[in-house]
Amino acid sequence: MEQVLVLVVLSLLGIAASHALSPRLGIAAPLLLVALGVLASIVPGMPTIEVEPEIILSGVLPPLLYAAAVQIPATDFRRELRTISGLSVILVLISTALLGVFFHWILDLSWAWSLALGALVSPTDPVATAIIKRLGVNPRVTTVLEGESMLNDAVALVLLRAAVAATAAAVTFWSVSWVFVSALTVAVIIGWLVGLLNLWVRSYVRDTTVNTVITFTVPFIAAIPAEMMGASGLVAAVVAGLVTGNGAAHVLGPQHRVADRQTWHALELVLEGAVYLILGLELLGVIEDVEARHQGVGRAVWIALAALALSLIIRTAFIIPLMGVLRRNAVTADEKRERIAADQAQLADLSTPPPLTILDRVSIRLRPGRPEEELHRRIRVRLLRAEADATYQVSTRLGWRDGALLVWSGMRGVVTIAGAQTLPSDAPERSLLILVAFVVAVVSLGVQGGTAESLVKILKPDPGQTPQQRAEERAKLQEMLGAAADDAIDQVQAEGLELDERGERLAVIHAQREVLLDARSVGVFTSSTLEASMRELDAEQIRLEL
């Protein structure tokens, strides 16, 4: 027992040291942790470390993906949903199929086992994208990478499960397709319900510590029922995180949100570090196993390198036309803004009927007594959101430099390794397959992750807003908040309320927060600017309420 405690304490210290030294050494913390794990594994007397893959898949990944989903701006995720869906679903399906052909040819495996290994090598790593986030690239690129890595591992694991099942029974393409679609659909429904339930329950809990304890359970409350129903627990955890993150500012107090943010950051740090330490600790053991049972590690290494190169080629071939689509969307968005301006003018002219969508017409038929002012308000908000989305497409165009970064950022990691270790014991050449997955992940992290910063310096991609644009946006938002403060004070005086300076300031903060939430729902400001203002209001409210 003492030995286990010593290992845990040393691991925590190693994780902390790696993150502290990473900026000074210019090496990403995950790479330092993998190297630390390898070095620790050769220390005399170090016990053999074997972690059950289910612990990572069911115990580590759900909270990690939930934490990432809680923090991703809902508006940005919505705007990039098509791109994220293409990368996390279509690209994974294509990669699985083509890599399956490669493994069938090179390893002489059955088609089912070949596709299973292809599914393992296809997803990008949700943890490894943290390397890119810290390099100050365009926020739109990081949103796409985060969204892709949150969802594509779940898609790949569903494909892996279907491929392994196909090795034991005769299945058809349609049966596999049905399992795939139903697994994702059920997971989305469960995650959405759990997210809403989480917000509802926690809105009645006043104690911050109790609230924090409850939030630890949410990813598992979403993932476990989904897995029991044959769906993807990881997708359920992601959806629960998206719902929670989007609704937290509406129903949770500032102290709860600040505590959640700090807690999940610390938990992310520990879980991410533990995953990479385990990877390093297990690597030499897997190599020894392959050396003893197969034709040496050389064969596994060159197969893994070829598979990684092929996966990058496939990713490049997919992203090149994707960038063309995004450029075309930016052009059509510019034209769309002209149509939106015409619709807004029509809405302002009360002598002409407002521009109605199909949903508006259905709503009128279902609720014929709805006031006309409410209908106009809904249409006005929809037009403002459409105008903001079009402006976003035009002002944040992604070029070929961003495309190159998207290709190189597709690193493999923990999902590939953990998924490989779930292969059944009767899998042909199981140790070899696991080592191939290990080598793909380690080389991908080492080469792609290790050169990401240099690539950014060479490519010099557009970082997004310039300092001047951020200052102008900030000034515009402050003007809007100032107007909200004046309105709040006028309302207090009109209602005849006698509030002291503290009470008056709290009323202003509540009014300003509502303005920020309305602006977030429409998307007229960048998420980073809105989040910074929201945190300032939270900090001031906490100070006043102490």
mmCIF file of all heavy atoms in Angstrom, residues 13 42 45 373 377 404 491:
data_model
loop_
_atom_site.group_PDB
_atom_site.id
_atom_site.type_symbol
_atom_site.label_atom_id
_atom_site.label_comp_id
_atom_site.label_asym_id
_atom_site.label_seq_id
_atom_site.Cartn_x
_atom_site.Cartn_y
_atom_site.Cartn_z
ATOM 1 N N LEU A 13 3.622 14.959 -8.418
ATOM 2 C CA LEU A 13 4.743 15.898 -8.466
ATOM 3 C C LEU A 13 5.342 15.976 -9.873
ATOM 4 O O LEU A 13 5.724 17.051 -10.340
ATOM 5 C CB LEU A 13 5.816 15.480 -7.452
ATOM 6 C CG LEU A 13 5.441 15.628 -5.975
ATOM 7 C CD1 LEU A 13 6.539 15.059 -5.085
ATOM 8 C CD2 LEU A 13 5.189 17.094 -5.630
ATOM 9 N N ILE A 42 12.348 2.253 -16.408
ATOM 10 C CA ILE A 42 13.631 1.531 -16.420
ATOM 11 C C ILE A 42 14.391 1.689 -15.101
ATOM 12 O O ILE A 42 15.504 1.189 -14.973
ATOM 13 C CB ILE A 42 14.520 2.023 -17.590
ATOM 14 C CG1 ILE A 42 14.855 3.510 -17.442
ATOM 15 C CG2 ILE A 42 13.852 1.753 -18.918
ATOM 16 C CD1 ILE A 42 15.789 4.035 -18.521
ATOM 17 N N GLY A 45 13.814 -1.760 -9.711
ATOM 18 C CA GLY A 45 12.822 -1.926 -8.658
ATOM 19 C C GLY A 45 11.461 -1.360 -8.980
ATOM 20 O O GLY A 45 10.510 -1.538 -8.209
ATOM 21 N N GLU A 373 -45.991 41.549 -31.565
ATOM 22 C CA GLU A 373 -44.709 42.059 -31.070
ATOM 23 C C GLU A 373 -43.743 40.925 -30.768
ATOM 24 O O GLU A 373 -42.534 41.033 -31.029
ATOM 25 C CB GLU A 373 -44.917 42.903 -29.811
ATOM 26 C CG GLU A 373 -45.693 44.190 -30.034
ATOM 27 C CD GLU A 373 -47.205 43.954 -30.086
ATOM 28 O OE1 GLU A 373 -47.620 42.787 -29.888
ATOM 29 O OE2 GLU A 373 -47.948 44.913 -30.344
ATOM 30 N N ARG A 377 -40.167 40.239 -32.458
ATOM 31 C CA ARG A 377 -38.955 40.122 -31.643
ATOM 32 C C ARG A 377 -38.167 38.881 -32.022
ATOM 33 O O ARG A 377 -36.947 38.919 -32.164
ATOM 34 C CB ARG A 377 -39.326 40.059 -30.150
ATOM 35 C CG ARG A 377 -38.117 40.117 -29.207
ATOM 36 C CD ARG A 377 -38.486 39.685 -27.815
ATOM 37 N NE ARG A 377 -38.854 38.273 -27.780
ATOM 38 C CZ ARG A 377 -37.966 37.286 -27.744
ATOM 39 N NH1 ARG A 377 -36.670 37.535 -27.760
ATOM 40 N NH2 ARG A 377 -38.380 36.034 -27.717
ATOM 41 N N ALA A 404 -3.064 23.931 -43.224
ATOM 42 C CA ALA A 404 -1.870 23.133 -42.925
ATOM 43 C C ALA A 404 -1.780 22.837 -41.440
ATOM 44 O O ALA A 404 -1.402 21.731 -41.030
ATOM 45 C CB ALA A 404 -0.621 23.880 -43.391
ATOM 46 N N GLN A 491 -34.409 52.163 -13.663
ATOM 47 C CA GLN A 491 -35.490 51.281 -13.261
ATOM 48 C C GLN A 491 -35.622 51.221 -11.741
ATOM 49 O O GLN A 491 -36.727 51.200 -11.198
ATOM 50 C CB GLN A 491 -35.264 49.865 -13.816
ATOM 51 C CG GLN A 491 -36.408 48.905 -13.534
ATOM 52 C CD GLN A 491 -36.205 47.556 -14.195
ATOM 53 O OE1 GLN A 491 -35.247 47.358 -14.924
ATOM 54 N NE2 GLN A 491 -37.123 46.629 -13.929
#
